[in-house]
Amino acid sequence: MSASTRRGRRPLLGVRLTLLLGMLAAAGARRPEDYTWLTLFPAGACRTARGEVGAYVVVPASSEGLCRKYCAQRRDCFAYECYMSNKFTRCELHTAPITRTGHAPGYKCVKRVQSSPPPSPPPPPP
């Protein structure tokens, strides 16, 4: 592959990332603190009730906090999975219900649980 072909593909990657991040932001506009997060044990990769990987999307994230933020922003995200070694390297947003983990050293599965809505403010005084 020539250098010009490789250079020609790089803008597409940037466009795809920009579009993906835009879709994530528009999908729900929720914040991580709007949910309760449950780390599944034993530590490992996210799995469905049948022990399968399920559906997921890999997104670019440089930290677990960013991975959590992306999951919070998507209405269809049930859990996120991250792989951590000496450097954060992978973020998966799971779009199928996740109930357990599978043995996978270095992986962490965190399930999103809907938090109770905040109480309504009291009515104004008469």
Side-chain angles (χ1 to χ4, degrees), residues 95-113:
T95 57
I98 297 298
T99 60
R100 59 184 175 158
T101 59
H103 179 72
Y107 283 81
K108 179 178 182 181
C109 180
V110 181
K111 187 174 177 177
R112 183 174 83 178
V113 180

Side-chain angles (χ1 to χ4, degrees), residues 22-74:
M23 290 186 318
L24 288 171
R30 299 292 302 257
R31 301 167 304 158
E33 54 270 19
D34 292 337
Y35 298 99
T36 299
W37 300 91
L38 176 65
T39 301
L40 300 182
F41 287 97
C46 296
R47 295 292 181 257
T48 65
R50 295 178 67 171
E52 298 169 343
V53 173
Y56 65 89
V57 177
V58 177
V59 296
S62 57
S63 69
E64 182 181 350
L66 196 53
C67 192
R68 179 178 294 204
K69 178 181 175 182
Y70 290 153
C71 185
Q73 291 175 341
R74 288 184 62 131

